[in-house]
Amino acid sequence: NHQLARTQKRFLHHLQSSHQRRQALKLDSRQLVMALHHRELTNFYQPKVSLRTGLWLGVECLVRWQHPELGMISPKQFVPLAEESNLITDITRQVIKQSIEDFHDWDPEQMPKISINLSMQDLTDVNFSDFLIQTTQMQHFSPRQITFEITESRLAKDLAPVLDILARLRLHRFKLSIDDFGTGHSSLLQLRDLPFDELKIDQGFVHDAHNEHRMNAIVKASIALAKHLEMESVAEGVETIEDWRNMQTLGADIAQGYFIAKPMPFAELENWHQQWRQRIQQENLLTPLI
Ligand code: C2E
Ligand code: MG
Ligand code: MG
Ligand code: MG
């Protein structure tokens, strides 16, 4: 019964494609152009923490559209539209600029690493690496502080043009992460051909894995794969204490998810960090399992 409900939930989620949701909201690319102009797009940040030490290691930048009438719109609704209408490269640049501005006066020693999501178009934009080098240098920002997340299902089958720009980014010491691992059609080929530093196991495998033997096996194997390829493993979608403990047991390096924090405005990060440090003690988050 539980299994059936789960399958139904997945199926419904699949049906609610971004296209249908967009139609319901009546979003089009003209509105998105205006939104960029009026600076209605804003960065939210979701913390990533070490499963061993509890330390705050990074943040993922997740773009939001603060629409004057419709309220906050999720990237699931407008990123596909931005990709179709070639606006995504402008959005990416704005997301990067904002994150660098937000963190620019933080002590580099204590600053979390910043993760930026990229789309396929960013990786075929010939000026992208120049833009990055300029922007980071201008703000005295080390490329090592920045990780680019690439969703494997978004990568085209032909990796050749993308390999070039990814190699260039790595040469400049930016970090690369493979996002939503397990959801694409050629995961292993991409790991063979691309030099990633981090592997993010898709939340669909992580949350509740301890209740489903097959999912737990997949997570376990993904963590082992990351270790063998000298990549850091990130468990996405850690929503409960059970998820947290399970990922510790399986030996994942880093956790991200609602259990730790939901994505939030920049101004709330320091407050979250204080509370998180207390929670580690109060909820015994670092105690090994009995
Ligand atoms: P993603 O990169 O895989 O980001 C993780 C998504 O999972 C985020 O959704 C986050 O809010 C959500 N999430 C985090 N923890 C949990 C959890 O414990 N449970 C559940 N159910 N969800 C969790 P969000 O912010 O709606 O972003 C959706 C996707 O939109 C992202 O998936 C990413 O692919 C894309 N996206 C977001 N910002 C950008 C951007 O600036 N540029 C590009 N190209 N894509 C972006
Ligand atoms: Mg991501
Ligand atoms: Mg992801
Ligand atoms: Mg995702």
Side-chain angles (χ1 to χ4, degrees), residues 38-187:
H38 295 144
R39 297 197 136 262
E40 286 168 17
L41 300 187
T42 170
N43 286 3
F44 270 40
Y45 297 95
Q46 188 178 33
K48 292 159 78 173
V49 299
S50 164
L51 279 156
R52 271 184 300 274
T53 62
L55 285 174
W56 182 21
L57 300 179
V59 287
E60 177 171 9
C61 302
L62 294 157
V63 69
R64 300 283 181 265
W65 181 355
Q66 211 92 55
H67 194 287
E69 282 124 45
L70 300 172
M72 188 125 82
I73 305 177
S74 144
K76 284 184 208 127
Q77 272 134 51
F78 67 87
V79 165
L81 174 66
E83 287 172 340
E84 286 157 29
S85 51
N86 272 318
L87 290 166
I88 193 69
T89 53
D90 290 330
I91 293 179
T92 302
R93 286 171 189 230
Q94 196 176 303
V95 167
I96 293 170
K97 278 192 201 150
Q98 196 196 325
S99 65
I100 286 179
E101 276 168 30
D102 281 345
F103 284 98
H104 110 274
D105 60 1
W106 281 40
D107 176 359
E109 299 287 299
Q110 274 155 45
M111 197 178 86
K113 286 207 166 73
I114 298 174
S115 292
I116 305 282
N117 290 287
L118 295 186
S119 293
M120 194 60 198
Q121 281 100 323
D122 297 309
L123 297 175
T124 47
D125 171 2
V126 287
N127 300 316
F128 186 57
S129 51
D130 287 340
F131 159 82
L132 276 174
I133 291 153
Q134 260 187 9
T135 313
T136 47
Q137 274 177 359
M138 232 159 53
Q139 302 276 359
H140 309 288
F141 224 80
S142 164
R144 288 170 211 273
Q145 288 293 118
I146 300 180
T147 303
F148 292 109
E149 296 190 2
I150 298 138
T151 299
E152 60 158 0
S153 58
R154 287 221 200 99
L155 282 174
K157 282 212 177 111
D158 180 16
L159 285 176
V162 174
L163 273 173
D164 184 57
I165 189 152
L166 288 180
R168 203 155 356 137
L169 292 179
R170 270 204 117 212
L171 209 65
H172 286 282
R173 303 281 183 266
F174 292 100
K175 299 252 180 287
L176 301 180
S177 168
I178 187 160
D179 203 355
D180 302 343
F181 182 75
T183 61
H185 38 248
S186 58
S187 339

Side-chain angles (χ1 to χ4, degrees), residues 217-281:
I218 292 169
V219 174
K220 209 169 166 175
S222 304
I223 294 167
L225 183 61
K227 278 211 172 77
H228 287 302
L229 293 174
E230 287 166 34
M231 300 163 75
E232 283 196 295
S233 52
V234 180
E236 299 190 279
V238 172
E239 293 190 4
T240 61
I241 180 82
E242 290 80 16
D243 292 340
W244 170 268
R245 298 263 183 239
N246 187 37
M247 292 306 129
Q248 279 180 326
T249 308
L250 296 181
D253 297 312
I254 295 168
Q256 179 181 349
Y258 296 167
F259 176 71
I260 300 122
K262 290 198 170 177
M264 64 188 93
F266 179 78
E268 291 172 20
L269 280 171
E270 289 198 84
N271 195 24
W272 161 79
H273 191 206
Q274 276 186 359
Q275 288 176 358
W276 172 248
R277 279 188 295 204
Q278 287 170 6
R279 278 183 65 198
I280 291 174
Q281 305 301 322

Side-chain angles (χ1 to χ4, degrees), residues 209-223:
H210 50 282
N211 286 326
E212 264 187 75
H213 163 71
R214 305 182 74 84
M215 292 217 299
N216 227 24
I218 292 169
V219 174
K220 209 169 166 175
S222 304
I223 294 167

